[in-house]
Amino acid sequence: SHKQRGLPFWVFYKTFHQDIKKVASVTEMWVDRLPPSPLSIDTIMAAKQSSSSSSSSSSSITGLKDQVVWNLVQNAEVFLESTRRLEERRHVQGESTWDKDDPLALDFVTAASNLRSHVFGIPLQSRFDVKSLAGNIIPAIATTNAVVAGLILTEAYKLMRANGNTERCRSVYLYRQPSNKKLLMPAQLEQPNPACYVCGNHFVELRADTQRLSLQSLVDDVLRKTMGMKDPMVMRGGDILMETGEDMDEYEAEGYARMGMKSLEQAGVADGVVIQVEDYSQDLKIQVSVRHHVFAANQNGDDKLFEVSGTPTPSAPAPVSSSSSSSSSSSSSSTLSKPAETHDDGGVVIVDDDLEILEAPPAADVAMDGGKRKRQGDGEDADTKKTRKDN
């Protein structure tokens, strides 16, 4: 009789009545728990009138439609309707695969899972919850990405209208928790630091004892410790002198380890040579001008092998701050500010002009550059950044 009523009724009877009765008949499985209860579509439809009152009351609940949990009658009706429509689609389009963004497929999965949950006494879920579970979605991440993407487009629209002028562009902090009932807090864009080799247009000058400073020390002490790079690659012209990173095979690692034992001079990096350094993990490319220099021993008898400084290009002159502070490092000195580190302070960049500023931004100034966040040193202003030099 169920087959004569159509495929949806037959699937309902087979899945939620006939199969469930077979499972419930295995008494050994239900000694310590309640057995499942088979469903009858006729019984459910007979109770439709009484359940409609609860349905109307649930529809009056404030909130998103997809976050309302369907009752048993609603799940049965959605299951029958979605099964019928999926069968019609199969005849036209052929077989379909599961897609969380397909409303019809999501209706079917939500109704079917809720009906089976009811059979086994499991709490029912809303359409929104089922989409999150079946689609393996983390709602907080999806929502945050959508907000940030919208704000990025807002700033891009400003740039297009102003022909690339950034005067009206803003930064914004997107807080995890509301602050004064606001989630977005705008701030003025930070101007590029003229003494920073990331923000500015600079060559970096490296004064080093090229006969004693090894390529490995160049990578570890100069590029990583002093200049804050992560996975630098050193090139001279078209030749790769040193490469770092976790994606190298054993043969490459051994070759670069042997190369790292050579001094700069032995590797062809002598006085006046300009090398190129790239760090793909930070989307950073700089040029380093090497100058041979033999340093005199300081008062403590420490042996210094290099000194790093940033020299502005002629088209963008900018003096480096003259104030200095002592450094505990005995083998190097630097007048460069390190590239900013990513800091998880609950804020993400970009903002709309129309947002109201209710409070000052956090102490750590954050600016966007190429989709990455760069943070200046804690408690330091761009114009008062201090240099580090050895005594």
Side-chain angles (χ1 to χ4, degrees), residues 138-373:
I138 302 175
I141 293 179
T143 305
T144 303
N145 288 345
V147 171
V148 174
L151 293 172
I152 290 174
L153 289 176
T154 300
E155 298 305 306
Y157 180 69
K158 294 179 186 177
L159 288 174
M160 288 189 294
R161 291 194 61 183
N163 294 324
N165 190 345
T166 61
E167 183 177 351
R168 293 191 61 201
C169 293
R170 297 290 182 270
S171 298
V172 68
Y173 295 94
L174 175 59
Y175 291 117
R176 292 195 181 101
Q177 300 295 331
S179 174
N180 291 335
K181 299 182 179 180
K182 295 286 186 179
L183 284 174
L184 302 178
M185 195 276 294
Q188 293 285 342
L189 290 179
E190 287 293 324
Q191 294 298 319
N193 179 6
C196 176
Y197 61 86
V198 176
C199 300
N201 182 21
H202 290 74
F203 282 94
V204 175
E205 184 177 86
L206 172 64
R207 300 173 65 206
D209 189 339
T210 58
Q211 297 177 350
R212 299 175 57 199
L213 184 68
S214 67
L215 276 176
Q216 191 63 53
S217 295
L218 171 69
V219 171
D220 295 337
D221 298 328
V222 180
L223 300 179
R224 282 177 168 162
K225 293 182 181 179
T226 303
M227 299 173 66
M229 293 188 175
K230 183 180 179 182
D231 295 320
M233 179 173 65
V234 182
M235 295 177 292
R236 186 192 66 236
D239 298 329
I240 299 178
L241 301 180
M242 288 291 290
E243 187 174 3
T244 59
E246 299 179 354
D247 56 346
M248 293 190 299
D249 57 34
E250 184 178 352
Y251 176 79
E252 289 177 319
E254 290 179 357
Y256 287 123
R258 290 193 298 268
M259 189 68 179
M261 298 171 61
K262 295 183 178 181
S263 67
L264 296 185
E265 188 175 82
Q266 292 172 337
V269 183
D271 182 60
V273 173
V274 177
I275 57 177
Q276 296 77 39
V277 181
E278 297 185 12
D279 187 350
Y280 290 108
S281 66
Q282 301 185 61
D283 194 22
L284 177 62
K285 297 180 181 180
I286 62 172
Q287 291 184 310
V288 180
S289 177
V290 179
R291 299 293 179 183
H292 176 69
H293 183 82
V294 178
F295 295 92
N298 57 28
Q299 296 177 354
N300 297 328
D302 295 327
D303 196 10
K304 186 168 72 171
L305 296 179
F306 68 88
E307 182 177 86
V308 182
S309 62
T311 304
T313 59
S315 61
V320 179
S321 174
S322 61
S323 59
S324 63
S325 61
S326 61
S327 171
S328 60
S329 174
S330 61
S331 62
S332 67
S333 66
S334 171
T335 55
L336 287 174
S337 58
K338 287 187 178 181
E341 301 173 354
T342 302
H343 180 67
D344 189 4
D345 56 4
V348 195
V349 179
I350 247 196
V351 158
D352 195 336
D353 282 334
D354 299 329
L355 298 176
E356 181 182 2
I357 300 179
L358 297 178
E359 60 181 349
D365 295 330
V366 180
M368 288 297 290
D369 182 10
K372 295 181 179 290
R373 291 188 296 167

